[in-house]
Amino acid sequence: MEVVESAPFNNSSSAFDLESSHTSPLHLPKSFQIRTVYLVLIKPKINVLLPFGPLAILLHYLTPKHHGWVFFFSLIGIAPLAERLGYATEQLAFYTGPTVGGLLNATFGNATEMIISIYALKNDMIRVVQQSLLGSILSNMLLVLGCAFFTGGIIHHKKVQVFNKAAAVVNSGLLLMAVMGLLFPAVLHFTHSELHFGKSVLSLSRFSSCIMLLAYASYLFFQLRTQQNLYTPVHEVADNSEISDEEEELELTKWEAIVWLAILTAWVSVLSGYLVDAIEGASESLNMSMAFISVILLPIVGNAAEHASAIMFAMKDKLDITIGVAVGSSTQIAMFVIPFCVVVGWCMGKEMDLNFQLFETATLFITVLVVAFMMQEGTSNYFKGLMLILCYLIVAASFFVHVDPQNDDD
């Protein structure tokens, strides 16, 4: 969940003091086993889905041929873990301040997508990596943002909901830069204009990925250090203290948040392995293309936390946080997660590149343009939300009938 741009952090000395009297990780009190287990595992209603994770693992070993059910149960089991990862990251951000908190959110906010992608890379499923990350961007920008605009517009139909245009414009610019990074390798490949056939696209992708990571790091520095006033939410000046009391509630200590972050990340890693192993079998048993599963089904689970948060804040007429959650998360994936996966693949000896094929790249380009035009006025209503949702339905239908051309080549 993205909170870099909007949710105010506690910058007081007591909150930033990392050497306070909080319990060390080696001597956790007995209350940790009761209070934090309740807060993390029992209190959230979405955690009723947690048993589906162990059930997927059990089903994997008992009935190895039923890959469809293993895939389906793994998807359901990962959904609450993705939401809890966002919660633990927000709690830890209280103690690190906005700069480190922004880096934490960039790393762990999309941890589910990153872990699934790394497992898929290890299994040489490069197209699954590319399409699942693309699907996360499309889902956040069209489905998540559309549902938030639609819900907020219905509840606040008597007024015009507004948000900070400056933050939205910068995010749109970064997304267009990401489209540029994905477009040139695809055009270079399909126009057969490579200097060294089979190598130039990979080299260009790795170079562009390093540039995109540098651009995203510069964006974090620009946002959190030099231009903080530019990103002040519309309503924050009037009721900053009220928002802080209402939205920000410290429930975990620093080490409790770190321990739970490690536990949840490890559990997501385990389930992601079974999920990736079952993708191909699920595609055959469910009679669905790999493209539809990777672009549509996988991101819906990975974006479960963003979806719920964006709608909740839109209902509270806090669209700046909604934009930060939905569009900001897309920016993270496009400018951080995708280039990061290219670099990780480089280190692993895998030929992960930015050539997402023409169909996927064109879909992303049109989506970024549509969302940028929707946000250029700095206002929202239910009709804009409905348009974004309908656009996502068109995208989903397109990938349902889309066959990956690279599969034919292989």
Side-chain angles (χ1 to χ4, degrees):
M1 172 180 165
E2 167 77 22
V3 294
V4 175
E5 302 177 355
S6 47
F9 289 93
N10 189 346
N11 289 327
S12 63
S13 59
S14 60
F16 193 76
D17 185 10
L18 297 181
E19 298 181 356
S20 59
S21 59
H22 293 299
T23 309
S24 68
L26 300 179
H27 300 87
L28 291 173
K30 293 181 179 179
S31 60
F32 171 83
Q33 303 176 5
I34 300 176
R35 182 179 61 85
T36 62
V37 169
Y38 169 76
L39 290 174
V40 178
L41 298 182
I42 300 177
K43 182 180 178 181
K45 296 180 180 179
I46 193 176
N47 282 357
V48 298
L49 303 177
L50 283 177
F52 282 95
L55 183 60
I57 298 176
L58 184 63
L59 194 62
H60 172 80
Y61 292 104
L62 293 181
T63 56
K65 293 183 180 180
H66 293 84
H67 296 289
W69 287 107
V70 175
F71 175 80
F72 180 68
F73 287 160
S74 298
L75 274 179
I76 298 177
I78 287 178
L81 297 176
E83 191 275 335
R84 290 289 86 188
L85 270 174
Y87 167 78
T89 306
E90 291 176 19
Q91 292 293 309
L92 184 59
F94 277 99
Y95 302 96
T96 60
T99 303
V100 180
L103 295 175
L104 285 173
N105 278 280
T107 304
F108 290 100
N110 293 300
T112 306
E113 290 89 344
M114 293 179 65
I115 294 172
I116 292 176
S117 299
I118 291 174
Y119 268 97
L121 271 178
K122 291 177 61 178
N123 294 346
D124 292 317
M125 302 171 69
I126 295 178
R127 289 296 290 158
V128 172
V129 177
Q130 293 176 331
Q131 291 175 337
S132 63
L133 294 179
L134 172 73
S136 295
I137 299 175
L138 300 178
S139 175
N140 273 311
M141 297 186 67
L142 294 177
L143 183 61
V144 175
L145 187 63
C147 290
F149 279 2
F150 181 78
T151 306
I154 291 294
I155 293 180
H156 302 280
H157 62 278
K158 295 183 179 180
K159 58 178 293 187
V160 176
Q161 291 186 292
V162 297
F163 53 87
N164 193 330
K165 290 192 295 185
V169 168
V170 172
N171 274 297
S172 299
L174 283 172
L175 287 169
L176 285 172
M177 179 180 178
V179 170
M180 178 186 295
L182 300 181
L183 181 63
F184 288 139
V187 172
L188 187 66
H189 174 75
F190 284 97
T191 55
H192 304 287
S193 57
E194 298 178 70
L195 179 62
H196 303 287
F197 183 77
K199 296 182 180 180
S200 297
V201 169
L202 184 61
S203 300
L204 175 61
S205 298
R206 290 170 175 174
F207 176 79
S208 299
S209 296
C210 295
I211 298 298
M212 292 164 70
L213 289 173
L214 177 62
Y216 187 75
S218 303
Y219 161 68
L220 289 180
F221 181 80
F222 171 81
Q223 176 191 16
L224 300 172
R225 288 289 188 181
T226 62
Q227 296 289 335
Q228 293 180 355
N229 294 333
L230 181 65
Y231 295 94
T232 302
V234 174
H235 302 294
E236 184 177 321
V237 177
D239 53 2
N240 183 49
S241 60
E242 179 182 348
I243 293 178
S244 300
D245 295 338
E246 181 181 348
E247 295 176 9
E248 304 252 343
E249 183 178 354
L250 183 60
E251 296 180 331
L252 301 179
T253 66
K254 179 185 65 174
W255 287 114
E256 287 172 349
I258 291 175
V259 169
W260 278 111
L261 203 58
I263 293 174
L264 293 169
T265 302
W267 185 228
V268 169
S269 301
V270 172
L271 278 184
S272 298
Y274 291 95
L275 180 68
V276 171
D277 291 338
I279 287 180
E280 292 183 353
S283 175
E284 297 177 0
S285 61
L286 298 175
N287 196 24
M288 292 182 180
S289 66
M290 291 283 290
F292 182 78
I293 291 178
S294 301
V295 177
I296 304 301
L297 296 184
L298 283 180
I300 289 178
V301 174
N303 296 331
E306 286 91 343
H307 206 151
S309 300
I311 292 177
M312 178 188 68
F313 287 120
M315 293 172 62
K316 295 181 179 179
D317 196 23
K318 296 169 184 175
L319 284 187
D320 291 291
I321 306 180
T322 296
I323 299 297
V325 169
V327 182
S329 183
S330 297
T331 304
Q332 283 184 355
I333 296 172
M335 295 295 294
F336 176 75
V337 180
I338 291 178
F340 178 77
C341 287
V342 173
V343 174
V344 169
W346 189 3
C347 297
M348 295 169 58
K350 309 294 184 180
E351 295 186 353
M352 167 74 181
D353 57 29
L354 296 178
N355 178 16
F356 278 45
Q357 306 297 324
L358 287 180
F359 183 82
E360 287 86 345
T361 306
T363 303
L364 177 62
F365 179 57
I366 296 173
T367 298
V368 171
L369 288 182
V370 169
V371 175
F373 276 107
M374 290 289 185
M375 297 191 303
Q376 66 177 348
E377 295 178 348
T379 61
S380 167
N381 53 61
Y382 72 90
F383 180 67
K384 288 184 177 181
L386 180 61
M387 290 179 64
L388 292 176
I389 295 173
L390 295 178
C391 287
Y392 185 76
L393 292 179
I394 295 176
V395 170
S398 301
F399 278 97
F400 186 78
V401 298
H402 172 65
V403 177
D404 194 345
Q406 185 163 323
N407 292 336
D408 298 334
D409 296 338
D410 295 339

